[in-house]
């Protein structure tokens, strides 16, 4: 009995190796990505400065798979939402071997995945699922077989995202069905960007906050909506100062909310008959960057300028997502914190 051959078949090898290589067509501007975007912060705060035009492929570092396992990613391409996805599937057989199969198909799947987080219930939702047959049932004899594929005219409505408890994934999947054995599978991720237009109205943020008869400040930011490479400009006016301020900080905060019925819970509506709106809804808050913008006690009438470059934040910024498929949202906040000499903190988001 060939114990090694049986073990290989049961563990998914089966004498054949499946590779997927994307081949962007002429006219399709697919961008090779420098790394696989993630929720984590970069350890080196000057990473963006040292690598402003990094060209290393996303395959250099291993990434987490859809179920949290470590896997080596192949070259990751970024496509716009309207572009076609084309590539080549390569089947490599062991020398002198033949493989019998019940059909080979390629799938393009768009998925909202919450399987690796704390969410209960349905861990994933496929909003795109297309399938094409690559080969009918038969026997493979040639040592190397290449089969091209293309998915046209797909409406990829959601932008790719990889967060703490939720992810939006697009991937090409090849499945080879076999008799009496589990199918062989191979996946290749695709990153999708939804290019938006600048808003026609982008009003400034202006607020007055304070403590009665102790502190009164007014802060202004030139607009509410920013491009990911913009610079936030603003100023802070001290209209009344009767407490001793030690310093002032400005932080950028990212907040991910996920779960079934998430939008209803955010609006304070009833999520179930018991009125518990937070059941199955999880929130992760992350401080992306924090700067001290003032040191020392201000006086009445003083104006502190604010200038914060989003491109210098050591994290993979994403667009703001509002109730994507009623399953998650991602929002960004500016958090202004004042600390007095008794280490009491006054903040406003």
């Amino acid at each position: 009995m060939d114990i090694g051959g049986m073990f290989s078949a049961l563990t998914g090898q089966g004498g054949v190796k499946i590779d997927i290589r994307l081949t962007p067509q002429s006219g399709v501007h697919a961008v090779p990505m420098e790394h696989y975007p993630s929720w984590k912060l970069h350890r080196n705060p000057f990473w963006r400065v040292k690598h402003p035009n990094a060209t290393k492929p996303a395959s250099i570092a291993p990434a987490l798979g859809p179920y949290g396992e470590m896997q080596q990613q192949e070259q990751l391409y970024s496509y716009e939402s309207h572009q076609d996805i084309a590539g080549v599937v390569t089947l490599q057989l062991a020398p002198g071997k033949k493989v019998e199969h019940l059909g080979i198909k390629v799938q393009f799947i768009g998925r909202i995945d919450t399987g690796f987080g704390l969410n209960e219930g349905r861990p994933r939702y496929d909003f795109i699922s297309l399938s094409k047959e690559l080969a009918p049932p038969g026997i493979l004899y040639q040592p190397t077989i290449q089969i091209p594929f293309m998915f046209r005219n797909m409406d990829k409505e959601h932008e790719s995202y990889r967060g703490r408890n939720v992810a939006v994934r697009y991937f090409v999947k090849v499945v080879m069905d076999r008799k009496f054995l589990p199918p062989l599978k191979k996946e290749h991720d695709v990153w999708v960007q939804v290019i938006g237009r600048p808003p026609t109205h982008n009003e400034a943020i202006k607020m007055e906050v304070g403590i009665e008869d102790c502190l009164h400040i007014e802060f202004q930011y030139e607009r509410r909506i920013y491009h990911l490479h913009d610079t936030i400009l603003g100023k802070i006016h001290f209209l009344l100062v009767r407490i001793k301020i030690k310093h002032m900080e400005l932080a950028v905060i990212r907040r991910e909310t996920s779960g079934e019925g998430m939008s209803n819970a955010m609006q304070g509506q009833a999520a179930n008959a018991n009125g518990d709106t937070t059941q199955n809804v999880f929130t992760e808050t992350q401080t992306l960057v924090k700067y001290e913008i003032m040191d020392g006690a201000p006086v009445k009438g003083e104006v502190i300028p604010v200038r914060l470059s989003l491109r210098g934040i050591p994290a993979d910024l994403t667009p703001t997502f509002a109730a994507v498929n009623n399953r998650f949202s991602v929002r960004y906040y500016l958090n202004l914190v004042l600390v007095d000499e008794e280490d009491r903190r006054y903040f406003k988001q």
Side-chain angles (χ1 to χ4, degrees):
M1 177 181 291
D2 186 2
I3 301 298
M6 178 179 294
F7 179 78
S8 296
L10 293 176
T11 54
Q13 298 174 15
V16 61
K17 179 182 178 182
I18 303 176
D19 286 322
I20 304 173
R21 180 170 56 90
L22 298 181
T23 56
Q25 302 297 299
S26 59
V28 175
H29 185 58
V31 180
M33 300 189 66
E34 61 190 36
H35 69 286
Y36 202 100
S38 71
W39 170 268
K40 296 181 180 180
L41 297 177
H42 302 297
R43 292 184 179 180
N44 182 359
F46 299 102
W47 185 88
R48 291 291 183 192
V49 179
K50 292 176 63 178
H51 307 282
N53 298 306
T55 56
K56 61 180 181 179
S59 59
I60 293 295
L64 287 178
Y67 306 106
E69 76 277 10
M70 297 298 294
Q71 64 179 13
Q72 187 72 20
Q73 291 287 329
E74 299 177 355
Q75 176 63 66
L76 182 66
Y77 285 95
S78 173
Y79 291 81
E80 295 184 20
S81 58
H82 65 278
Q83 293 176 335
D84 300 333
I85 307 296
V88 175
V89 175
T90 302
L91 306 175
Q92 295 181 340
L93 277 63
K97 297 290 185 178
K98 64 178 181 179
V99 175
E100 183 179 358
H101 65 90
L102 300 180
I104 305 172
K105 62 183 177 181
V106 60
Q107 299 174 312
F108 184 81
I109 298 174
R111 173 177 295 172
I112 298 177
D113 196 344
T114 58
F116 53 88
L118 301 174
N119 296 278
E120 298 177 357
R122 190 175 183 180
R124 67 186 64 152
Y125 167 73
D126 292 347
F127 55 91
I128 294 179
S129 183
L130 303 175
S131 180
K132 292 184 177 182
E133 185 183 57
L134 293 180
I139 301 177
L140 303 178
Y141 294 98
Q142 301 177 10
T144 301
I145 302 172
Q146 291 188 335
I147 310 174
F149 67 88
M150 176 176 287
F151 291 95
R152 300 178 181 271
N153 303 323
M154 296 176 297
D155 184 17
K156 301 179 281 295
E157 56 180 325
H158 303 309
E159 178 148 341
S160 295
Y161 171 72
R162 188 168 178 229
R164 178 64 178 84
N165 292 326
V166 65
V168 178
R169 293 183 64 216
Y170 291 90
F171 57 95
V172 177
K173 181 178 182 180
V174 175
V175 180
M176 175 188 291
D177 293 317
R178 299 180 295 171
K179 190 176 182 179
F180 305 127
L181 292 173
L184 297 178
K185 301 178 182 179
K186 177 71 173 181
E187 296 180 0
H188 191 299
D189 279 82
V190 177
W191 199 264
V192 172
Q193 288 188 324
V194 180
I195 306 299
R197 297 181 178 179
T200 55
H201 300 286
N202 196 356
E203 70 277 6
I205 301 177
K206 183 177 181 180
M207 295 186 67
E208 294 185 9
V209 295
I211 305 172
E212 186 176 0
D213 296 332
C214 294
L215 178 67
H216 187 194
I217 63 175
E218 176 187 84
F219 59 87
Q220 301 179 23
Y221 302 109
E222 63 175 5
R223 58 185 188 271
R224 184 178 299 273
I225 302 174
Y226 292 88
H227 187 275
L228 298 184
H229 290 170
D230 276 348
T231 298
I232 298 176
L233 300 177
K235 50 188 176 180
I236 300 171
H237 300 258
F238 286 88
L239 306 178
L240 176 65
V241 182
R242 292 181 178 174
I243 57 177
K244 294 183 178 180
I245 302 297
K246 185 167 60 174
H247 65 268
M248 181 167 57
E249 301 171 350
L250 181 66
V252 178
I253 294 175
R254 173 163 55 192
R255 183 166 297 150
E256 175 191 276
T257 305
S258 62
E260 294 289 340
M262 179 271 309
S263 62
N264 291 337
M266 291 182 63
Q267 296 171 7
Q269 300 176 3
N272 52 44
N274 298 327
D276 185 3
T277 62
T278 60
Q279 184 177 5
N280 295 333
V281 176
F282 303 93
T283 299
E284 291 284 345
T285 300
Q286 181 185 42
T287 300
L288 301 180
V289 70
K290 181 170 65 175
Y291 294 112
E292 182 177 294
I293 61 174
M294 185 191 72
D295 184 18
V299 297
K300 180 179 178 180
E302 190 162 2
V303 178
I304 305 298
V306 174
R307 184 180 181 91
L308 192 153
S309 175
L310 296 180
R311 196 167 188 173
I313 293 178
D316 296 316
L317 296 182
T318 69
T320 296
F321 299 116
V324 176
N325 209 266
N326 198 23
R327 282 174 167 78
F328 77 96
S329 70
V330 180
R331 300 182 181 275
Y332 292 84
Y333 299 89
L334 288 173
N335 191 38
L336 185 66
V337 180
L338 287 84
V339 182
D340 65 12
E341 291 186 343
E342 298 179 3
D343 287 332
R344 292 177 296 189
R345 302 172 70 86
Y346 311 89
F347 66 92
K348 181 65 178 180
Q349 285 188 2

